[in-house]
Each structure stands twice: as C-alpha cells, then as structure tokens.
Amino acid sequence: MKENSKQLRMNQMEFPGFSFLENSTSEYREVSEDITKRPHVFIALVQNALTIAQSLRDNYFVNTAKIVSRIRKKLISGDKKISELFFNIRSINENITWDDLRGEEIAFIDGGVGSVEIMGQVPMLLRVGTYKVKTGETVLREREQFGFYPIILGDLVGGSKERKDYPDIVRIVGELLAVINTLQRYPKLDVLILHGPLVYLVGQYAGHIPFTNEDIDIFLKNYSLEQNIKDEFQEQSKMIYPQMTQQWRADWIGKLEDHYEPICFMRFLLWKIKNIIEDASRPKKTLICGVTERSTLSEFTRRIVFQRLLQKDPDFFNNIFGRNDINSANTAVERLGYNDSLLLSMLLNPREYSEPFNIDKYSNFRTAQIADVQVDFRDFRADGQYPFPNINGFYIQVSENTFPIRVEVFGNYNDSQISEIAQRVHLYSTLLPGYAFPIGLDIVDKYAKVPNWLTDAYSKLIKYHLQSQLFQGKISDEELRRVIVQALYATQRDWFLRPSI
Amino acid sequence: MESSKTMIGTVVGESTPQEFRMSITPGQVYVQDLVALDAEIQESGKIKQIRVWAKIEDIERINPLFPREAGQELADLQVNPFDTVISMSREMITASCRILGYEEISGGEKNEPLKKLRYPPQPASSVYKPPKADIQRIIMGNLDDKSKKHRKLDIGWLSTRRDVDLIIDAHPIVARHAAILAMTGAGKSWTAKRIVEQLAEKQYPIVIFDPHGEYSGLSEIEAIKDRVHNYYADIKIFEEEQDDIVRLINGLGRSELTPRMQDIFTDLFRFSSIIIQDQVTCQNMCNLLLSVRPDDQYLQKYGLSPNLFGIAAIGQCICEAIRGDNQSFLSQIDSLGYTGVVALNNRDAETINGIVWRTRRAAGALANMARINRKISMGKESLPTDINTLIKKGSINVIGLAGYSSELRASIYSLVVEKLFQNRIQNLIDLPFLLVLEEAHNFAPGAPTTDADRQALQITRQIAQEGRKFGVGFLMISQRPSRLDETALSQCNTFIIMRLVNPADQQFVKRVIETVGEKETKLLPDLDVGEAIISGQSVQFPVLAQIKSPQATGSRSEEDLIMEVSKYGG
C-alpha cells in the first residue's frame, strides 16, 4: 500500500512517461513522437504503466517504443519474405468511394437495455433496433426502414433473473433473432453489421435456467418470426440435451418444448443465420459481421504478434526489458499489459487492417449447474460434437485519433469477402472520424434508445407502488420492509455504507 | 364554415394560453401561416366548442440521427448524403405558434373579432390548415357586415396563401393615420400606389406630396385619369413672408444676408412687392430701369419678373444709380414708394450690390429647381391660389416636389398643409381627405435642423394628434424610419412594414410600434420585394402579405441604363 502510495505521488519529473521523448534515441524516436502526439495511446500506456509490476515500470514507455519500432521494421523491411512470415497488414482501397457502392442495401443492428433507477440501475426493458438503408436511393420510404423490438424483461419467465448477466442473454437472443428477421425480410441485403461481437464469449452464460415456450413465443411474436423456428430447435435439442447431462430424464427435462436452454438456443440461431446467408437460392450472399469498439481482447497480440516474434527471437522481450523470465507470449501479455487495441494502434496506420485470425470464443465452455442438474457444455467447444460457428476477427485503424475497431466474421470468409467487409466498415466509420465507428450503428443506437422519460416514468410507477404497499402496511416481513425502504429512499452509496441491521 | 380541414400537426410539449408548439407534417405549412385547432372551454357552466386560431412564428427542423461530425465529413468530401448510409428520414419538425384568439364554433360563425384565449390548448390536439374562406373571414373581421363593406381595401394576398386575398379596413388608414416603412427598393411606393388606387375607387380625396415623381403615373390610369391633377410647386415670392424670403436667399444664395443687408432688403422687398404686383406700375418700373441700364438684355426680353430676379433687377439699378449719383432716378424711386432711397450712400450701394448677387444666385437656384420640378412632376399647373379647391370628391392631387431642396420641400408642404388643415377646421373644406407623405422624413423629421423642418414637423404633429377629429389623416411613407418623428409615427394606427435591413431602423420600429414583436423584427431583413407585415387597426392581427401590383407606374421607374447606352448611336 505504501509502495503504491509512493508511486501515486510520483511527480511529473519522476514519471517516466513524460520524459521518455527527450530520452528517445533515433532507433525509436519516430515511435516515441507518434505516441506523444496521440493522447489516447499515451494515456492507455500510462494506465498500463501504473498497473504492471514495478520492476517493469521503469522505462516502460521507452521499451514499448522499442518493441513497436522493431515490429514496424519487421513489417516494412522490404523483404517480402520476412513480412509474410510475420503478420500481414492490408490496406483499404483508397479508390473505392461512396459512388462505387451506390445501390447497396445495408442493415445495422444494435441491442441495448433500458434500466429504471431504484437504488441503482435495474434493467427493465430490452430493445433491439434495426436500420436498413439503400444507398443512392432518394425516395425516403424506399431508402430507409427502421425496426424497433422491445422485450419487457419482466414478461419472461426463463433465464436466471438473479444473475447479473441475465439481461445479456436476453439481449443476445434478441439480437440474433433480429438478424434472422432482417435477413428474411430483405433477401437482397448486401451487408449486415451487428454492434458488438458476432459471437459473444457465451461460455460464461452457462447455468441459466432455460427459457420457456411462452418466452420464445414472446420473442417470435415480437420479431414476426414463424413458429417453425421452435420446431427446428426442438429437433436439435432432442439430440443435444441428452448429451449435455447424464441426468437427462424425461421428468426433469419435461417436455422439450418447454425448455430452451439459452446457450443451445444461441448456437441454434447462429447456425441458422449462417445457413440463411449461404443458402444457394438466396439472391444475395449477405456479408455479416460484428463490430466492436473498445476491444479488450489480447488474442491477436498473444497468438499472432508475440508468438511469431518469439519464434524468431525467443529473447526478444528479455533483451528489451533486461530480464530472463518473459519467455512466452502469454507471459509477455500478462506482465506487460498490452492488448490488441493498444498494440495495433501503434502498428497500424489509418486505412490499414490486420490479417484475420481465429478468435477463440469457445474454450471456456465448462460444466455448470442448472437447478439441481449438472450440465456439461464442453461439446460446444470448437473440437466438440456440437460446435458453434468458427469466428475470425481483424482490426481496422480508421483514424489516428482512435483505437482500431475489431470486426468479427464467420470463419469461412475468404480474403475477398474480408476485404469487402473491411472496405465498407472503414467507409461507414469515416463519417464519424472522432468516434471512428460505423455511423449506421450510431444511428440505430440513437433510434432504438429507450428514452429517459420512459424509464423515469416506470421508476416512478414502481416506487409509487412500493410506497403504497409500505404505507398501507401490506408488507409485514421486517427484512423485506427494510429492503424496500432502502430501495425507495437510499442511494447506492448509502446502501454500501449503511451497516446491516 | 367549410368542413374540409387539412391536418398538419399535433400539439406537443407545454402549451400556454399565448403559445404552443406542434410537430408538423413536412412541407405543409410555413412561417406566418395561419392554423387552427378545435377545443372546448367552459363558460358559465356550459361547455363550448371553439376554434383556436394561431400563427406559426417559427419552424425548427432537426434530424437527431444525423451527427454534425458526419456533416463536416460530407462537406469535406463533397459527397451527397443520400449516397451514404446516413439516415435522412427521421427529421423532427416543430413549429412554435402564437395564439391569436378563438371563436365559437357552435351556433354558427359570427363576424366578431377573435376573443382572447385564457386556457391552454390540450397537448396532442390536432392542428389543421383552415379553409380559405375561414381565413379570409378571420382576417377581415366584421368587414363583411353591411355597415362596413364599403371600407374594404383589396391590397394583396396572404404571403403564404396566395389563394387568400388580403382585404383590410380603409377607415383606420384614412382616419387614424398609417405608415409604410421600408428600405429602398422594397416596394413602399408600389404599396402606397396600390392603397391610393383603392381609395381612389372609393372617391376619397387625396393630396400627395411627391418628392420624386413616383405618382405622376396615376394620370395614366384610365379609370381615374380625369380626377388626377399634377401640380408643380411654385413659390410665389410676393405671397410669402419677408422673413421666409430672407431664409430662402440665405439658403440658396450661398452666403447669408448680413444684418445691414437684411435691413435694406426689408425696404427693397416691400417696394418690389408693391411695384411688381401691379401690371402698370411694373411696366413703368421696367422702363425706368431700362433708362439706367439700357443694355440689360434680360430686362429687355423678359421685363420685370415677379420673382427674385425682379427684386435683384430693381436692386441693381438702385445700386448703380447711387454709384453714379443719379439723383433723378433715385427721386423717382422715392416717389414711387421707396422712402429713404435718396439718403443711401455709396456704402449702402455696396450693401445693395451684395444683396443683388445673393438674390440672383438664389433666383438662379430656385429657377433650376422649378425647371427640374416641372420636368419630373409632369405638372401642368401650379398650385391654385385657393387651396381648398384641391379637396373635392374623387380628386387626386399630386404635388410634385422633385428638384427642390429638402428645406424648400418642407416649406412648401407646411404652407399647403397648414392652409388645408385650418380651412378644414373652419369648415371651409367640406370633405375629409388623406395626405400622402412620400419620403415622410422630410415632413416629420425626427431631428429637425432648420426652421422649415420645424415648421413641417409642427403641422404634421398637429394633424397626427388632432386630425382624426376633423377627418384629416396621413399616410407616411419612409425608408428611414429612424429619422422619423416618433410622436407622429406613434400616432399611426396601421403599419405596413416591408423589408428593413438597417439595424437602427429595425430597433426603432420595434420600439415605437407596439404590435411589432421580436419575431416580426427578425423577419424584416428577409422579406421579399412587395412583402409586408401589416399590423394595426386595419387588420385583426399582424399578417404577412404580398402586396398586389398597382396599375400606375412612376415616371421615374428604373430604366435599363446599360441597354440605353448599348442602343445609343445605333
């Protein structure tokens, strides 16, 4: 604690970051200048420097500049062989403009949760918004269509509502259904872009109580989707459920149609999406991707950059940091705090994107408990019996002033398809240079945002109802009364500081 | 009441008895449009169905899904937003409306003025565009009543509804004074002519003071040409007060008469006035002068004129007689009535010489002005001696003041209007009449600097304050409202305000004219030619109008000078 306090009290002269430019040698001076000109990168490095081990903190900036400088040299060495062995940086075609893409139909999908304020934010409403636009079309009703799909969380029975990630699973299901709805409604769609990963790290959602038949009816009705989705899923789950638990039994599982285990259902929806877009009879092969800003992944850094670096030079990091224990990519990432966004922001120039790499989404599938039943989700891993679709990702640097954004696509996309997606995601993002994110996602986010007046109104209604119950003496349980009083009148801070009675 | 209603909006947000906001259907309404909504009020325990009338004061348009940052990028790249993925369909258009009042729907319509609303309209009420006939009815108020039909003046259309004629009440204009305020080229003379022509159809006597020949074209209109009289302004020297003539000479003679000169001039003027106004004595005097100056070709050709030239001629001969010690001549002058002339010495001769030069200069300047005046004003007659003859049923009298200095204009105006007003008060004039004051800042200056200005202002103020009792009204027209007298302007009850870009004029108008608010002031710089905000007692509420074209064109309508030069010489 003392050590940390001392570090925190470092004055400006002592803090290495502020003097590292002056101390830079010509080897990495260019990188140093680059970093200091880009405040978001500089601040991220400062944050890293404060969190890593003290022994690595000294010269952290200098060493980072060295690492980046040496990697850059490997990228532009002029020796094509070397750069091919290292990793590929690709360029967005400068000559493709909006004119060239006129007439394309693009859809943007974004999901979010509206919360009411009762001693903290309590999620209440899921909304998924869709925005479909045809570029070049001037008749507005032909050009744009918006969709708004709300689900009141209280209407659903399934899912473990006591879990913090409950709204997430509802949102993911909602978004996937919105994708299906959009693909079915617009068979000539050229591109569909989802806000967020194409597939989430769904392993963490294991253990939720299944959705019910009625829950799925609510979803399907909202999205105007046919009931045959349920039939198709039930066919699959007949096979999958027994594999997931040895305690499979008719009385627990009950009727299949009453149980929609969330992860199974997400898997089913993802494969359905993939099948729809790959259907030979579909007029257009819609390109689908998910776009994430503020990525915290470090997989590319780990498995592509550092691993390949160390393959060529096992002491690369040790030499720079003057150590002998940074011998693996994992160690380098963990000890040095780099992630994909930070590293690539220093390696990619605007209009460049990284080579695609396979993202490991599924190795965290484990077993989990659902009620009193032990359930095994490991068959959903990439090497399992019922895998999820393979996902690849790549990063695009849109502007100097932002971190690169991560784009996820299905794993079977070829270079040409990836190039098409990169081109478009980049172009859509250039209209928001300060944010560097596809503008269509910003539009759909604003469109589908649950207005504050709605959540405020709901908060008031709920509080009024609780107050009435309280004042009318309808709540006799002492503990419950205490909780309600705190919910109505306390702020979140009060809750934490108040000793429990 | 017609049943067709075009719904164009919904009341949103907070509403008050004075105003409300509404979301509107794109492209259906514009600023200054008149709209209505139906509501209910409780009065004496009964529920009444009412129609609330409002005017759109402002319209805001926003696309909440269009980030500003993207706009800058589109501009930099010169890309059409329709070619991108930007959303163009989610605009929110809201209008802020000022409530004008309400009328009862139940019980059929009555031509009553709108009543003041004391309760706000309900949010989410539907707002509609009323049918043309209803708008017309509301604007006209009770002008369609039998007792008032004859007072209708058709001067234009609603600017945003060309299918709705703007009919205003003539009575407040002629009885309670009106003003047309606009910058150069905005159409104020066009508007004044339209009003004059409309009043002419009603045979209303009009006297127009026309500094620039704008109204000479009235005599070309077939329907009224027999009633139009174009007069040129003529200063009858010997009908004016001597002090006024001294001021005239001081103003036009380039240097003022000294006190000694003024003393001698008093006698000279008195003498000249006696001699010249009688034909016989004038002829005899001319002969006498020729005896002193036989080579004077002007005297030979024109004789002794009843003007400043005449006075100068007499003065010159007296001067030369004194210098030449021509006692015979001087004695004759003395005997004709110039007492004391024989006692004048050489020094006095020089003084008289100074008078002569100044008088000649003034005479020349005045003659030039008169020449220009006659040419521009196309006046065939000079003002009649009996000024009352101007005021007859249906007479339209245009007094051309073009060519004269502003001081002379003011002087001529004062002389004519004082006589007319006094004669009206004394019932020597039977009919009411309207005075049209073009370039009114000449006749009602805000900061008078000369005696002529002060005199003009005095009579204008008097008419402003008392004219109503005697049926004398004025229509002031000016492109510099801030140079107008506030007292006179504030007495006007009808205002027609056209394009004004000068901030001082805008602020002046806003300060002096109660019915012009902040929103109207903001419109002023952007009004089209011929567009006007009409407010006051001639209309139920301020309206934005497009003035209809008059039939008359001015003799000084702008010609294409470039074309003229190009055609010159073939």
Side-chain angles (χ1 to χ4, degrees):
Chain A
M1 185 72 178
K2 237 184 177 176
E3 197 63 35
N4 286 341
S5 302
K6 184 184 170 188
Q7 289 303 320
L8 286 168
R9 283 199 306 271
M10 274 192 292
N11 64 28
Q12 203 168 0
M13 294 305 293
E14 291 173 354
F15 191 69
F18 288 96
S19 58
F20 92 103
L21 182 58
E22 285 87 14
N23 298 335
S24 300
T25 67
S26 60
E27 182 201 345
Y28 51 87
R29 189 164 190 87
E30 192 187 321
V31 174
S32 305
E33 282 173 354
D34 216 21
I35 290 172
T36 47
K37 276 186 227 166
R38 299 165 73 198
H40 63 290
V41 174
F42 188 78
I43 288 169
L45 288 173
V46 168
Q47 284 172 336
N48 271 5
L50 289 173
T51 55
I52 60 175
Q54 193 185 350
S55 57
L56 293 166
R57 198 173 294 150
D58 291 340
N59 299 319
Y60 180 75
F61 285 83
V62 167
N63 293 336
T64 299
K66 281 183 187 170
I67 291 170
V68 171
S69 175
R70 289 178 193 182
I71 294 175
R72 278 190 188 179
K73 282 191 184 126
K74 290 183 190 301
L75 291 170
I76 58 168
S77 67
D79 185 331
K80 200 173 172 186
K81 213 169 171 186
I82 292 175
S83 63
E84 276 174 357
L85 280 176
F86 197 57
F87 73 91
N88 246 302
I89 289 184
R90 304 174 184 184
S91 295
I92 304 289
N93 186 346
E94 270 185 354
N95 298 322
I96 303 283
T97 64
W98 286 105
D99 272 348
D100 302 306
L101 305 178
R102 194 178 289 141
E104 286 197 343
E105 295 187 25
I106 307 109
F108 300 89
I109 296 179
D110 184 25
V113 175
S115 303
V116 293
E117 176 65 41
I118 300 179
M119 205 177 64
Q121 292 287 315
V122 177
M124 180 200 79
L125 175 76
L126 163 80
R127 51 80 175 159
V128 176
T130 62
Y131 167 52
K132 183 250 167 197
V133 59
K134 183 174 179 183
T135 58
E137 176 61 64
T138 52
V139 176
L140 289 178
R141 64 178 176 279
E142 305 290 330
R143 175 187 161 76
E144 300 172 22
Q145 288 85 39
F146 283 85
F148 180 77
Y149 307 100
I151 300 271
I152 297 178
L153 298 177
D155 285 348
L156 301 175
V157 173
S160 301
K161 292 187 180 171
E162 72 284 0
R163 284 175 61 159
K164 265 192 180 169
D165 55 8
Y166 168 72
D168 292 339
I169 62 163
V170 181
R171 179 169 54 79
I172 292 169
V173 168
E175 285 178 353
L176 293 174
L177 287 169
V179 170
I180 293 173
N181 169 287
T182 305
L183 288 172
Q184 287 179 346
R185 195 185 283 199
Y186 307 113
K188 293 185 185 170
L189 200 61
D190 290 278
V191 182
L192 188 151
I193 300 182
L194 213 49
H195 186 190
L198 188 54
V199 178
Y200 286 80
L201 295 172
V202 289
Q204 61 188 310
Y205 303 129
H208 271 276
I209 292 171
F211 290 119
T212 66
N213 196 36
E214 289 71 30
D215 292 341
I216 301 303
D217 282 340
I218 290 173
F219 275 116
L220 295 183
K221 189 177 169 196
N222 244 330
Y223 291 98
S224 305
L225 290 171
E226 299 294 328
Q227 292 286 307
N228 62 358
I229 282 187
K230 286 165 64 177
D231 299 332
E232 287 174 25
F233 176 72
Q234 282 159 24
E235 271 306 303
Q236 275 193 17
S237 50
K238 265 187 213 169
M239 284 185 307
I240 298 176
Y241 282 171
Q243 304 300 321
M244 290 168 71
T245 173
Q246 288 170 1
Q247 290 166 270
W248 166 265
R249 53 182 192 268
D251 60 343
W252 172 71
I253 298 299
K255 294 175 196 165
L256 269 177
E257 56 265 29
D258 286 337
H259 291 81
Y260 292 78
E261 194 282 317
I263 292 181
C264 282
F265 195 51
M266 288 176 202
R267 175 190 167 278
F268 160 74
L269 293 175
L270 277 164
W271 280 110
K272 187 161 179 69
I273 289 167
K274 199 161 184 299
N275 291 338
I276 291 172
I277 59 176
E278 289 173 1
D279 186 347
S281 63
R282 187 172 172 82
K284 276 264 179 80
K285 296 284 176 269
T286 308
L287 295 172
I288 293 186
C289 67
V291 180
T292 307
E293 77 274 39
R294 295 188 293 271
S295 169
T296 54
L297 288 190
S298 55
E299 210 160 327
F300 187 84
T301 305
R302 195 191 307 263
R303 285 179 28 227
I304 307 295
V305 184
F306 283 4
Q307 200 155 313
R308 291 182 190 176
L309 261 178
L310 289 171
Q311 270 169 7
K312 296 287 290 177
D313 181 0
D315 284 318
F316 179 83
F317 294 103
N318 289 331
N319 289 339
I320 289 176
F321 283 90
R323 296 171 70 95
N324 56 12
D325 57 342
I326 309 178
N327 299 315
S328 71
N330 281 348
T331 310
V333 166
E334 281 157 22
R335 297 268 175 93
L336 302 176
Y338 300 123
N339 61 31
D340 295 345
S341 289
L342 179 57
L343 186 66
L344 286 170
S345 68
M346 293 183 281
L347 293 175
L348 295 175
N349 292 315
R351 304 187 79 90
E352 287 180 348
Y353 62 101
S354 68
E355 65 177 61
F357 65 103
N358 178 252
I359 302 181
D360 176 15
K361 298 273 189 181
Y362 312 119
S363 59
N364 66 344
F365 278 126
R366 309 252 185 285
T367 57
Q369 200 86 5
I370 300 180
D372 60 347
V373 178
Q374 185 80 357
V375 183
D376 190 348
F377 290 90
R378 288 175 292 183
D379 261 337
F380 292 139
R381 289 181 181 172
D383 55 357
Q385 211 176 345
Y386 305 109
F388 274 67
N390 218 11
I391 300 296
N392 281 351
F394 58 93
Y395 288 88
I396 304 178
Q397 183 76 45
V398 177
S399 97
E400 266 187 351
N401 304 316
T402 55
F403 286 110
I405 52 178
R406 187 177 84 241
V407 181
E408 291 185 6
V409 298
F410 285 118
N412 60 340
Y413 276 17
N414 58 35
D415 280 350
S416 168
Q417 287 170 308
I418 286 180
S419 169
E420 297 278 318
I421 285 187
Q423 191 77 50
R424 282 156 182 76
V425 169
H426 179 268
L427 193 61
Y428 306 157
S429 303
T430 54
L431 290 177
L432 287 178
Y435 188 26
F437 198 64
I439 193 171
L441 291 175
D442 182 62
I443 290 169
V444 73
D445 176 57
K446 280 181 183 152
Y447 170 75
K449 192 173 170 54
V450 177
N452 288 341
W453 64 262
L454 181 63
T455 51
D456 286 349
Y458 268 110
S459 289
K460 284 176 185 166
L461 273 174
I462 292 167
K463 284 183 180 176
Y464 172 74
H465 178 72
L466 289 174
Q467 274 174 344
S468 300
Q469 297 286 302
L470 209 54
F471 293 145
Q472 288 168 30
K474 288 186 179 174
I475 299 167
S476 53
D477 184 81
E478 200 56 42
E479 180 65 17
L480 185 56
R481 286 172 65 83
R482 188 181 70 81
V483 167
I484 290 174
V485 165
Q486 283 182 328
L488 287 173
Y489 302 112
T491 63
Q492 200 164 26
R493 193 178 161 163
D494 289 342
W495 168 255
F496 280 125
L497 296 179
R498 191 186 292 261
S500 55
I501 300 165
Chain B
M1 213 177 284
E2 291 178 29
S3 58
S4 62
K5 296 175 184 176
T6 310
M7 294 298 177
I8 49 87
T10 307
V11 177
V12 294
E14 288 181 15
S15 60
T16 70
Q18 291 81 36
E19 58 190 14
F20 62 85
R21 290 179 69 82
M22 61 170 178
S23 287
I24 59 175
T25 313
Q28 290 293 308
V29 284
Y30 302 92
V31 171
Q32 295 292 313
D33 259 344
L34 295 175
V35 296
L37 58 93
D38 294 341
E40 285 179 358
I41 53 167
Q42 275 218 17
E43 228 174 67
S44 314
K46 290 182 192 168
I47 293 180
K48 288 185 178 173
Q49 305 293 325
I50 61 170
R51 173 185 269 178
V52 177
W53 286 83
K55 185 167 66 159
I56 296 178
E57 289 195 316
D58 208 357
I59 298 178
E60 284 175 0
R61 196 170 169 182
I62 185 169
N63 183 346
L65 300 183
F66 181 53
R68 211 169 177 155
E69 209 183 342
Q72 185 61 57
E73 285 303 301
L74 291 176
D76 289 345
L77 298 168
Q78 296 180 320
V79 170
N80 184 340
F82 279 90
D83 285 341
T84 70
V85 295
I86 288 175
S87 171
M88 307 294 286
S89 68
R90 294 283 142 167
E91 283 189 11
M92 289 166 51
I93 310 174
T94 47
S96 41
C97 303
R98 174 142 305 271
I99 294 175
L100 301 170
Y102 75 91
E103 57 175 351
E104 287 180 33
I105 298 177
S106 43
E109 68 261 26
K110 302 164 194 165
N111 290 333
E112 286 176 357
L114 294 177
K115 295 178 190 169
K116 190 88 183 113
L117 188 68
R118 302 286 181 202
Y119 195 76
Q122 186 179 27
S125 298
S126 292
V127 184
Y128 54 90
K129 261 166 104 163
K132 163 188 159 180
D134 285 345
I135 296 178
Q136 195 111 53
R137 178 175 53 74
I138 287 299
I139 290 173
M140 285 205 303
N142 52 9
L143 263 187
D144 252 344
D145 285 354
K146 267 190 190 164
S147 59
K148 291 190 178 171
K149 266 186 173 168
H150 56 281
R151 284 155 50 159
K152 289 186 192 178
L153 280 189
D154 176 11
I155 66 162
W157 306 278
L158 278 194
S159 197
T160 53
R161 289 286 300 266
R162 292 293 285 250
D163 57 333
V164 179
D165 284 331
L166 184 61
I167 312 289
I168 65 173
D169 191 349
H171 178 72
I173 292 178
V174 300
R176 297 176 192 167
H177 320 303
I180 301 174
L181 308 172
M183 63 179 280
T184 310
K188 56 186 179 307
S189 300
W190 160 299
T191 304
K193 276 184 252 182
R194 177 77 193 179
I195 293 174
V196 163
E197 286 167 12
Q198 289 285 301
L199 287 172
E201 283 179 17
K202 299 180 190 313
Q203 309 272 324
Y204 201 86
I206 302 171
V207 179
I208 304 171
F209 290 88
D210 184 5
H212 294 303
E214 297 278 354
Y215 297 86
S216 47
L218 285 173
S219 52
E220 291 160 15
I221 301 173
E222 194 59 39
I224 59 172
K225 65 181 183 185
D226 296 333
R227 296 188 269 134
V228 176
H229 302 275
N230 284 307
Y231 297 106
Y232 57 82
D234 200 9
I235 302 211
K236 296 181 171 52
I237 298 293
F238 296 111
E239 290 180 17
E240 308 302 331
E241 296 292 328
Q242 184 231 311
D243 286 344
D244 291 335
I245 301 302
V246 167
R247 271 195 290 272
L248 193 69
I249 295 171
N250 286 343
L252 298 177
R254 288 187 226 159
S255 45
E256 293 187 1
L257 295 169
T258 62
R260 180 62 186 150
M261 286 180 191
Q262 285 184 35
D263 285 341
I264 292 180
F265 182 81
T266 303
D267 295 331
L268 179 62
F269 179 77
R270 183 180 48 79
F271 174 69
S272 303
S273 130
I274 296 167
I275 294 297
I276 293 177
Q277 291 195 86
D278 181 274
Q279 207 168 350
V280 172
T281 54
C282 183
Q283 185 58 51
N284 290 339
M285 187 68 192
C286 185
N287 295 335
L288 184 60
L289 294 180
L290 278 168
S291 72
V292 174
R293 288 171 55 81
D295 298 326
D296 192 326
Q297 290 176 354
Y298 188 88
L299 271 176
Q300 285 172 10
K301 190 172 178 186
Y302 297 107
L304 199 57
S305 322
N307 53 29
L308 288 177
F309 283 118
I311 298 173
I314 295 173
Q316 184 156 30
C317 288
I318 293 173
C319 171
E320 286 183 9
I322 295 170
R323 281 178 183 158
D325 198 23
N326 188 340
Q327 290 298 320
S328 164
F329 175 81
L330 291 172
S331 300
Q332 288 187 72
I333 296 296
D334 188 279
S335 68
L336 285 171
Y338 194 146
T339 315
V341 68
V342 293
L344 296 175
N345 55 34
N346 278 330
R347 198 170 156 201
D348 294 326
E350 295 316 308
T351 304
I352 293 173
N353 194 41
I355 293 171
V356 167
W357 283 115
R358 284 162 177 74
T359 306
R360 278 231 169 89
R361 262 185 249 144
L366 198 59
N368 271 342
M369 287 185 206
R371 209 167 14 250
I372 295 170
N373 177 262
R374 280 180 213 198
K375 187 171 180 188
I376 293 175
S377 62
M378 289 161 49
K380 296 187 173 94
E381 5 174 1
S382 73
L383 279 167
T385 312
D386 182 5
I387 211 78
N388 296 348
T389 57
L390 292 179
I391 310 301
K392 290 189 190 129
K393 184 173 175 181
S395 66
I396 302 162
N397 307 283
V398 183
I399 302 174
L401 297 174
Y404 286 115
S405 65
S406 55
E407 201 176 336
L408 276 175
R409 284 181 196 158
S411 296
I412 295 166
Y413 163 80
S414 309
L415 289 168
V416 173
V417 172
E418 271 172 16
K419 283 180 194 165
L420 285 174
F421 190 52
Q422 290 307 317
N423 291 347
R424 175 68 182 152
I425 291 172
Q426 292 165 37
N427 293 320
L428 297 173
I429 294 177
D430 293 330
L431 293 170
F433 55 91
L434 178 71
L435 301 169
V436 177
L437 313 181
E438 184 70 44
E439 305 277 333
H441 45 276
N442 287 312
F443 314 119
T449 50
T450 64
D451 286 341
D453 285 347
R454 279 184 276 274
Q455 221 161 338
L457 177 59
Q458 190 182 344
I459 186 59
T460 306
R461 273 187 181 174
Q462 191 180 7
I463 293 175
Q465 285 157 346
E466 296 165 19
R468 186 178 164 181
K469 294 178 230 163
F470 304 101
V472 179
F474 59 66
L475 172 63
M476 291 209 289
I477 302 148
S478 176
Q479 80 252 39
R480 289 307 311 269
S482 53
R483 286 170 56 186
L484 280 173
D485 177 54
E486 276 189 41
T487 306
L489 187 63
S490 65
Q491 294 292 321
C492 295
N493 279 277
T494 298
F495 295 94
I496 301 173
I497 308 166
M498 306 178 86
R499 191 160 176 247
L500 284 173
V501 296
N502 185 306
D505 289 332
Q506 292 171 18
Q507 289 309 309
F508 179 84
V509 155
K510 191 178 153 200
R511 192 176 73 244
V512 174
I513 304 171
E514 294 161 350
T515 48
V516 172
E518 190 70 43
K519 299 281 184 192
E520 279 85 17
T521 312
K522 279 187 184 166
L523 283 177
L524 294 177
D526 297 322
L527 294 177
D528 264 335
V529 173
E531 237 183 354
I533 297 172
I534 304 180
S535 70
Q537 291 184 358
S538 285
V539 287
Q540 293 290 304
F541 41 79
V543 289
L544 182 66
Q546 181 69 40
I547 308 297
K548 288 180 182 171
S549 135
Q551 294 178 60
T553 56
S555 65
R556 293 187 66 244
S557 309
E558 231 164 74
E559 293 160 8
D560 186 344
L561 302 175
I562 307 294
M563 180 65 74
E564 191 183 325
V565 168
S566 74
K567 283 181 178 169
Y568 183 77

